[in-house]
Amino acid sequence: MLPLGVLSDFGHLGAESPETCGRTVIPSIGTPQVTLNDALCLLDCLSFGIAWVCPAGNLVGSNSAARAHLKAGRALQLARGVVAPVDQFDVPGWNQSLQRAFQCRREYLTLCRRSAPFAVSLLPTPEYGQDRAGLVAIVFDAMESRGSITLQSFARSHGLTPAEQLVLNMLRDGCSTVEAAQAIGSSVHTVRTHVRSILSKTAEPNLRKLLCRVGALPPVGSRGSVVGGESLAGLGKQGWGGHCND
């Protein structure tokens, strides 16, 4: 089952007026259009996971990053086609949040509080003019280091050396200069030299400004990443993910 309603707005490139927002827009002749396959490929390039479920909890569709999350079972898992928490302690809160999401309320939920906390957002996708959502989107965090592919492009565009990019990666992930030096087997002085060089090449006044800039990079993941031998683009003609039983 393909959630076409979710993707209806991909049918037209350009700004939407308030009157057309949420409706399928019929493009004028000659206007470039985004195809369904284009939309699916785009979703698979994101580094964070998106999965859609119907009221019964069945998986309707997902991108590669979401399938990786479900396969890893960090907080949510796919059991007989139904998305459910791994920790039974999270089941009551999950069910309540999911129910509220289908009532068109956006939900933010932290799972696995007793071990490694893991946050997800639940976003309703209501049918036009309805007060209940037909599907709910589960938005996961980035499976790989946030925007790692974008960070590689950022590093190349500013002429960073491999060593400087490695240091920038570690600092972005929360390491101190001392921790970064220990991890790469170098001295703190060398790491600080790399930091000064990075700041010079990126024209940033200090490390805090640089990390804020890096943190705002688009969350693009590995292009064409595939989990379980499937990609969204390949599922476009035969259905997308699971099936809704309700």
Side-chain angles (χ1 to χ4, degrees):
M1 178 179 178
L2 182 66
L4 291 176
V6 175
L7 299 174
S8 62
D9 289 338
F10 282 101
H12 182 252
L13 280 175
E16 291 184 351
S17 66
E19 291 76 17
T20 62
C21 185
R23 304 180 187 178
T24 301
V25 179
I26 301 176
S28 59
I29 297 176
T31 302
Q33 298 181 49
V34 178
T35 67
L36 175 60
N37 195 61
D38 292 333
L40 297 180
C41 288
L42 171 63
L43 290 173
D44 253 354
C45 288
L46 299 177
S47 64
F48 60 86
I50 306 177
W52 279 269
V53 295
C54 62
N58 297 76
L59 178 67
V60 176
S62 60
N63 66 353
S64 291
R67 291 197 298 278
H69 272 291
L70 295 173
K71 184 177 180 179
R74 287 178 56 193
L76 293 172
Q77 61 185 341
L78 191 62
R80 298 181 179 179
V82 176
V83 178
V86 173
D87 190 340
Q88 291 300 309
F89 178 81
D90 292 325
V91 171
W94 167 258
N95 289 339
Q96 291 174 9
S97 292
L98 197 59
Q99 183 179 15
R100 286 194 292 264
F102 277 106
Q103 295 170 353
C104 292
R105 292 178 55 182
R106 295 186 176 188
E107 292 287 312
Y108 178 86
L109 182 65
T110 301
L111 303 169
C112 299
R113 292 179 181 272
R114 297 187 298 176
S115 53
F118 184 90
V120 296
S121 291
L122 303 178
L123 304 179
T125 55
E127 297 291 336
Y128 183 75
Q130 301 295 318
D131 59 358
R132 282 190 60 82
L135 297 172
V136 164
I138 306 168
V139 183
F140 301 81
D141 66 2
M143 191 68 183
E144 54 191 66
S145 295
R146 180 180 174 129
S148 61
I149 301 301
T150 309
L151 185 59
Q152 291 176 18
S153 299
F154 175 84
R156 286 196 301 269
S157 67
H158 290 87
L160 303 189
T161 66
E164 290 168 350
Q165 182 179 334
L166 178 60
V167 169
L168 181 56
N169 268 315
M170 302 194 71
L171 295 176
R172 175 207 54 187
D173 290 341
C175 292
S176 66
T177 53
V178 174
E179 291 169 334
Q182 293 174 343
I184 64 178
S186 184
S187 68
V188 175
H189 174 76
T190 299
V191 170
R192 288 174 176 166
T193 298
H194 287 319
V195 171
R196 286 194 294 270
S197 177
I198 295 170
L199 293 176
S200 175
K201 291 178 179 179
T202 58
E204 291 295 343
N206 53 57
L207 185 57
R208 182 178 62 83
K209 291 280 189 180
L210 173 63
L211 294 181
C212 286
R213 181 177 171 187
V214 169
L217 291 174
V220 178
S222 302
R223 185 175 179 83
S225 57
V226 174
V227 178
E230 296 179 336
S231 68
L232 282 178
L235 293 171
K237 294 182 180 179
Q238 53 185 304
W240 194 28
H243 297 276
C244 182
N245 296 328
D246 69 326

